[in-house]
Amino acid sequence: MRVLVTGAGGYIGSQTCKLLTQQGYQVIANDHSVPNHNYYHQKEINNYAKIPVGMLAGIDAVVHTAATSLVGPSVMNPDKYYQNNVGSTLDLLSNCVEANIHTFVFASSAGVYGEPSEDVCHENIDAQPCSPYGWSKKMMEIILQDYYTAYNLNSVSLRFFNVAGADTDCEMGQQPDATHIIAKAIELTMAGKDFTLFGKEFDTDDGTCVRDYVHVEDVAQGILNSIELLGKTSGAHTFNLGGERGYSNLEIVDSINRVTPLTVNLKYGDPRAGDPSTLIADTHAANTILDWKPKHNLDSIISTAYKWYTK
């Protein structure tokens, strides 16, 4: 089976290429530059919106991980996010339809939930994103529903929560200056700098925010399971991929201190406006329909991330 992976050189795309290749898939790696790995059968160095229909004609499935993906900058420059995440993805979808492709896996995001009224995010709640980035992902989920109805393009949209950790073989991982707390805490501590937690009086067991983290290898497995699901069923599906439980910010610091040689020099700052106490994924649908369960816990996420950063 030939699978095109966009963003094949990125954090999630690289891990996906590795797993698919190991499982016997022929991976066509698409990115704007040559990926820093060899887990592909063929490469297509091009803007994904400009992949020729003739090239797509031999593809059995598309995994679309490429995107512009920072929440804050999307507020300052929404045009860039809508042009790339929506406009260019529409160009890719149009070419897929013309090439008679019927399997499409879309990397969505927990950003579609915005600031939900519930602590646990279910796929069927009324999701109201609070950034252009979140809206760009939500728009594409809606469009994929329409493309299934009109063109029989079957799809799975995977709402990733906080993707973290690194390849257990230490072949690939996040680039420096990642935005989530695990990467920041490790990077700042390795640099001998203080690490600040914002708020310690939230309505949680230890007073710090609780969030959901999922290992990048588990995300790649979710993508593989999505391809397999679409080989057996039709429709436009949406699933959360999270760690099945939340971890508080203080638990993250404690884990770093316990499973690595580092000792975080912890400081506290004022809570940030709009930060909910708890935000975690309901993964029941992924567990039951996608046959997916995460294999990695917080300690594994942090251990693999630390090994990657010190490689």
Side-chain angles (χ1 to χ4, degrees):
M1 186 174 186
R2 290 169 58 83
V3 180
L4 173 75
V5 179
T6 71
Y11 177 45
I12 294 171
S14 295
Q15 199 73 58
T16 301
C17 289
K18 178 176 180 178
L19 179 61
L20 292 177
T21 298
Q22 289 175 334
Q23 294 300 311
Y25 289 82
Q26 287 192 358
V27 173
I28 293 81
N30 165 251
D31 215 319
H32 55 78
S33 59
V34 178
N36 291 321
H37 62 80
N38 295 313
Y39 290 106
Y40 53 85
H41 176 75
Q42 177 183 337
K43 59 182 181 289
E44 172 69 20
I45 308 307
N46 200 350
N47 183 320
Y48 61 82
K50 298 179 180 179
I51 300 173
V53 173
M55 185 268 171
L56 289 171
I59 300 299
D60 299 299
V62 172
V63 175
H64 185 36
T65 72
T68 312
S69 60
L70 295 177
V71 172
S74 79
V75 177
M76 302 302 296
N77 188 9
D79 180 73
K80 177 181 179 181
Y81 282 72
Y82 289 128
Q83 292 281 0
N84 188 32
N85 295 357
V86 180
S88 293
T89 302
L90 276 170
D91 290 339
L92 173 62
L93 285 177
S94 296
N95 289 343
C96 287
V97 170
E98 187 173 347
N100 203 33
I101 292 172
H102 294 286
T103 300
F104 194 92
V105 180
F106 176 61
S108 190
S109 167
V112 303
Y113 290 112
E115 297 177 6
S117 57
E118 304 174 38
D119 290 345
V120 179
C121 296
H122 311 270
E123 288 92 345
N124 59 355
I125 68 173
D126 183 21
Q128 294 293 318
C130 56
S131 71
Y133 168 68
W135 276 113
S136 73
K137 294 294 187 179
K138 180 64 175 175
M139 289 175 184
M140 286 315 309
E141 291 183 5
I142 295 168
I143 288 168
L144 285 168
Q145 293 278 351
D146 291 339
Y147 270 60
Y148 167 66
T149 301
Y151 309 118
N152 196 30
L153 177 62
N154 301 303
S155 66
V156 170
S157 295
L158 297 173
R159 293 176 176 174
F160 304 146
F161 278 67
N162 298 288
V163 185
D167 178 59
T168 51
D169 297 324
C170 217
E171 291 184 329
M172 52 191 69
Q174 279 193 312
Q175 295 302 307
D177 300 319
T179 57
H180 62 71
I181 181 176
I182 293 174
K184 281 187 173 181
I186 292 175
E187 289 184 29
L188 289 171
T189 304
M190 288 178 64
K193 298 179 180 179
D194 295 342
F195 175 68
T196 301
L197 287 183
F198 296 100
K200 57 179 179 179
E201 296 181 356
F202 288 94
D203 185 19
T204 61
D205 289 344
D206 62 24
T208 64
C209 287
V210 172
R211 294 293 183 268
D212 201 322
Y213 299 87
V214 59
H215 196 282
V216 65
E217 287 185 339
D218 287 325
V219 165
Q221 186 66 54
I223 290 171
L224 172 59
N225 288 17
S226 298
I227 295 171
E228 293 177 345
L229 176 70
L230 294 176
K232 300 178 290 187
T233 188
S234 60
H237 310 269
T238 303
F239 301 105
N240 289 331
L241 294 190
E244 291 199 318
R245 61 151 289 189
Y247 295 98
S248 75
N249 288 349
L250 200 54
E251 283 182 289
I252 290 169
V253 171
D254 290 343
S255 179
I256 292 171
N257 291 341
R258 186 177 65 257
V259 304
T260 79
L262 303 174
T263 300
V264 178
N265 190 14
L266 180 63
K267 305 292 184 184
Y268 286 97
D270 293 332
R272 296 176 295 193
D275 257 357
S277 295
T278 301
L279 196 61
I280 59 177
D282 178 349
T283 59
H284 177 73
N287 299 157
T288 56
I289 302 171
L290 200 58
D291 193 26
W292 177 88
K293 289 182 72 69
K295 296 179 179 179
H296 296 270
N297 61 16
L298 179 63
D299 285 354
S300 176
I301 288 171
I302 288 173
S303 176
T304 56
Y306 174 75
K307 289 175 183 176
W308 169 251
Y309 281 128
T310 55
K311 180 180 177 181

